[in-house]
Amino acid sequence: MSEVVIAKLKLWKKDPVQFVRDNFHVEPDKWQADALTIFADQNDHYRIALRACSGPGKSTVLAWCALNFLVCYGGNGNYPKGVAISITLDNLKTGLWAELSFWMNKSKFITHFFTWTQTKIFANERPDVWWLAARSFPAGSDTETIGKTLSGLHAKYLLYIVDESGAIPPAIIKTAEQGLGETLTRQGGFAKILTAGNPITTDGLLYAVAKMPSWHNIKITSDPEDPNR
């Protein structure tokens, strides 16, 4: 890998907003830029929640963070691994997973080094250990079964994404918390839990984390006078 590419990766790791500009040729909204900046913080903000109505660009932010994670982390025998789930498999396929494909195809750099499939995005160099997987659970599953979809990850660089979490049971996050704790004990380890959705019920994960001080909550309004709309 050339020195120019290595320098770019270091820049993008520190500044995911520039990663978005360089690879996708768009300018993030203010709240999106804030979320990307918080995602890059390796010393804090390990848990990030995006709360909003439908359509402001939550899945876009999740996709940008996921691609930044895959592209910029790893090395010296340590490779990034991640899992993405949603309220249903169809929702994941038509929502976040389609969003990942959309943005990947806008970047010649990313599509040169990574491959998108219906179930996994992987590094062409090491497809066995460098990936983000789409996982699902059967309809009507209990909390334990849903939680198992997030299990089995062990890596120095780790990412959990729970999309459309308004109605997903809060208890499933315990599995991700275990992986988060394990990774953060490693020297130089990087781990994040990202969730996003519409606040549709007081029984869901999104409502639960809104009250937890350990979570960084980003609320996106529809107020036209609010720069974070």
Side-chain angles (χ1 to χ4, degrees):
M1 191 174 289
S2 71
E3 291 184 4
V4 173
V5 172
I6 292 173
K8 272 289 185 183
L9 293 175
K10 288 181 178 179
L11 170 63
W12 292 341
K13 186 176 181 178
K14 291 181 179 179
D15 188 357
V17 176
Q18 193 61 46
F19 169 82
V20 168
R21 292 175 181 141
D22 290 346
N23 284 282
F24 311 129
H25 314 293
V26 296
E27 184 65 30
D29 290 343
K30 181 183 181 299
W31 74 265
Q32 291 177 319
D34 290 344
L36 288 163
T37 300
I38 290 165
F39 178 76
D41 186 344
Q42 298 192 49
N43 300 309
D44 201 358
H45 304 309
Y46 306 118
R47 307 163 186 86
I48 303 169
L50 309 177
R51 293 184 286 132
C53 58
S54 298
K58 301 185 302 297
S59 294
T60 296
V61 171
L62 296 181
W64 288 344
C65 288
L67 293 172
N68 178 266
F69 172 76
L70 286 172
V71 170
C72 299
Y73 291 81
N76 298 322
N78 293 295
Y79 303 101
K81 293 183 178 69
V83 168
I85 68 170
S86 187
I87 187 66
T88 66
L89 178 59
D90 284 344
N91 188 283
L92 181 62
K93 285 183 175 180
T94 60
L96 176 59
W97 214 250
E99 196 79 8
L100 282 159
S101 175
F102 174 81
W103 291 108
M104 273 189 69
N105 286 325
K106 287 184 172 292
S107 170
K108 291 182 179 179
F109 181 91
I110 297 176
T111 53
H112 177 76
F113 290 102
F114 292 85
T115 296
W116 180 97
T117 72
Q118 291 287 342
T119 58
K120 188 174 284 189
I121 299 170
F122 58 83
N124 299 328
E125 176 187 339
R126 291 300 307 270
D128 55 332
V129 294
W130 191 338
W131 43 259
L132 175 74
R135 293 185 181 176
S136 62
F137 46 87
S141 295
D142 58 22
T143 298
E144 182 179 354
T145 301
I146 298 173
K148 287 180 179 178
T149 61
L150 298 176
S151 65
L153 294 192
H154 305 281
K156 186 175 179 178
Y157 309 104
L158 205 56
L159 178 64
Y160 297 95
I161 300 177
V162 184
D163 196 17
E164 298 300 341
S165 60
I168 292 179
I172 68 133
I173 212 67
K174 289 181 180 178
T175 304
E177 289 285 356
Q178 291 171 358
L180 185 78
E182 178 185 310
T183 293
L184 293 178
T185 61
R186 300 191 183 196
Q187 182 67 31
F190 176 91
K192 298 279 177 170
I193 305 173
L194 305 181
T195 189
N198 315 126
I200 58 176
T201 174
T202 58
D203 297 323
L205 173 64
L206 201 62
Y207 180 82
V209 302
K211 302 182 293 179
M212 296 180 183
S214 60
W215 281 77
H216 185 88
N217 281 270
I218 298 175
K219 182 180 179 181
I220 307 102
T221 78
S222 57
D223 181 356
E225 301 301 322
D226 187 342
N228 284 321
R229 64 187 181 278

